[in-house]
Amino acid sequence: MKLIPTRAALAAGLAMLAQSATAEGNLNLYNFGLYTPPDLLEKFSEEFDVEVTLTDFGANEEAIARIQAGGHGMDMAIISGYFIPAYVEQGLLMESNPPEMENFKNVAEQWKSIPTDPERKYTVPWVWGTTGVMVNTKVYDGNINTAAIFLDPPDELKGSINLVPSMNDTIDMTLGYIGAETCTTDRESLSKARDLLLKAKENWASVDYPSFEKFINEDLNASVFWSGGAARVRGLNDGFAYGWPETGYMKWMDSVAILSDAANVENAKLFMNFIMAPENAAMISNYTMYSNGIVGSEEFMDPELVKAPELNVSENLEGAAIEQTLCPPEAQDLYTRIWTELTR
């Protein structure tokens, strides 16, 4: 039976054709370093005759500060989920309404709404992952599904532990370890967390974004780390394994948004729709080694990545996930005080 398309479907199709026909010019993308596949940008450029310029940043704080200052020239930014409210509150994002885009149908049900953009008015998925602990099991063969790895470390690891400088993740996991609520303003709980971190610091080698070589060469043997980064390290030194602390680990998604002062809005919307196609989302995963939240992308992903242990949370630990969030101002201020004392 031949199906007759609805008027709405025809209109949507014509709109996409019109966009494709006129999609020329430029697109300026702002993203974390080593987080954007060059072949993805090349494919988009060839398909739509758009020249893409990529600018890297090191942290969310750096990115939002530059955007707040104006004159940045960026059209789009990749933003960690917990930072989205800060952008929205300051009017830095455009309501691009991704659910109206053709490929939004490919977004997995669990990611069609996120706590910081519940209606997906501003963002579409880039990648998602977890923050846990990475351990060299050739040095330590005990339980790695515990925050004790960095908070009360075994003797084998003392002096070779790193803490990535991610304030909220570190303090949230510490609060979980002592049985307290995240984003709490309870001074007793926060004081206990601070004291534990300060004591643990004596056993750390660094608070840093270290080069992978330090793990590969086993100068560092443990770290608070991200799932995709841990998968990369294991690929270069198979002694390393990734653990999800049973008292709480962080689950997060980084998403793409169009900036409110973007000059190339239509090209930015095309890029949003483009990365929600399964084959394109797979390119992002294969490069970053994180999951992507797009149904059907597994078919195009590296089979070894699909089954990578770092990307597949143990069933008995799924309930320990803590949604990464930016705390209310009072709690955030208390976190900052602890972090300043810890890192000075």
Side-chain angles (χ1 to χ4, degrees):
M1 181 177 70
K2 184 177 180 181
L3 296 177
I4 301 175
T6 65
R7 184 177 298 176
L10 284 169
L14 289 171
M16 287 301 296
L17 284 171
Q19 282 186 319
S20 298
T22 60
E24 56 186 20
N26 302 297
L27 179 65
N28 297 298
L29 181 65
Y30 202 25
N31 199 357
F32 295 94
L34 300 176
Y35 216 40
T36 313
D39 53 349
L40 178 82
L41 302 187
E42 183 178 342
K43 181 180 179 183
F44 178 78
S45 293
E46 290 178 354
E47 190 167 327
F48 296 105
D49 192 24
V50 172
E51 182 178 345
V52 183
T53 300
L54 172 66
T55 303
D56 293 341
F57 59 82
N60 286 290
E61 293 82 359
E62 175 190 339
I64 196 171
R66 181 172 179 180
I67 292 166
Q68 286 168 332
H72 49 79
M74 307 301 168
D75 297 308
M76 314 183 75
I78 283 68
I79 307 168
S80 294
Y82 72 106
F83 249 79
I84 292 171
Y87 278 80
V88 173
E89 288 165 12
Q90 296 177 52
L92 300 175
L93 300 185
M94 178 178 295
E95 286 195 20
S96 53
N97 299 313
E100 297 178 4
M101 297 179 183
E102 180 188 17
N103 286 333
F104 191 81
K105 65 181 182 291
N106 299 321
V107 176
E109 198 61 38
Q110 68 165 314
W111 297 115
K112 286 185 176 177
S113 173
I114 58 175
T116 51
D117 188 8
E119 297 177 41
R120 283 290 190 182
K121 289 182 178 180
Y122 304 96
T123 65
V124 303
W126 185 254
V127 296
W128 73 270
T130 61
T131 307
V133 291
M134 182 179 69
V135 181
N136 186 352
T137 59
K138 291 184 288 187
V139 174
Y140 175 69
D141 62 1
N143 175 32
I144 64 170
N145 292 314
T146 173
I149 293 296
F150 68 97
L151 293 173
D152 186 16
D155 291 339
E156 298 96 317
L157 296 174
K158 289 180 179 178
S160 64
I161 300 166
N162 178 69
L163 191 83
V164 291
S166 183
M167 178 180 76
N168 279 57
D169 286 358
T170 299
I171 296 176
D172 283 346
M173 286 195 286
T174 303
L175 288 168
Y177 185 71
I178 64 174
E181 294 291 324
T182 58
C183 287
T184 184
T185 55
D186 178 67
R187 302 301 177 105
E188 185 177 347
S189 296
L190 289 167
S191 179
K192 186 175 179 181
R194 178 201 62 202
D195 292 346
L196 181 57
L197 284 164
L198 288 173
K199 182 180 178 182
K201 182 181 179 181
E202 299 171 5
N203 300 306
W204 303 341
S206 53
V207 179
D208 194 12
Y209 295 113
S211 66
F212 283 9
E213 284 74 16
K214 289 188 176 181
F215 297 111
I216 297 160
N217 298 334
E218 301 182 358
D219 298 318
L220 293 172
N221 291 303
S223 184
V224 170
F225 221 57
W226 306 283
S227 48
R232 285 179 180 267
V233 171
R234 178 179 55 81
L236 299 165
N237 183 332
D238 62 7
F240 281 89
Y242 184 71
W244 302 273
E246 56 197 1
T247 53
Y249 59 90
M250 311 311 298
K251 183 179 180 180
W252 48 263
M253 170 170 274
D254 292 343
S255 294
V256 189
I258 302 175
L259 301 176
S260 57
D261 55 355
N264 301 290
V265 175
E266 293 308 314
N267 289 345
K269 288 182 178 179
L270 277 176
F271 188 76
M272 276 185 156
N273 191 61
F274 177 79
I275 63 173
M276 290 187 287
E279 62 271 25
N280 298 329
M283 294 172 76
I284 300 173
S285 286
N286 289 335
Y287 182 79
T288 63
M289 301 194 77
Y290 287 101
S291 300
N292 58 63
I294 301 298
V295 174
S297 61
E298 296 86 355
E299 179 185 346
F300 302 95
M301 287 168 59
D302 181 340
E304 291 300 312
L305 180 61
V306 173
K307 63 183 182 181
E310 297 84 0
L311 273 60
N312 294 279
V313 181
S314 301
E315 190 173 333
N316 63 317
L317 292 171
E318 286 181 352
I322 302 168
E323 288 283 351
Q324 190 185 57
T325 186
L326 194 65
C327 300
E330 183 183 357
Q332 202 66 33
D333 181 60
L334 293 169
Y335 273 34
T336 301
R337 293 184 195 181
I338 292 172
W339 191 251
T340 300
E341 187 175 356
L342 183 68
T343 56
R344 66 186 177 192

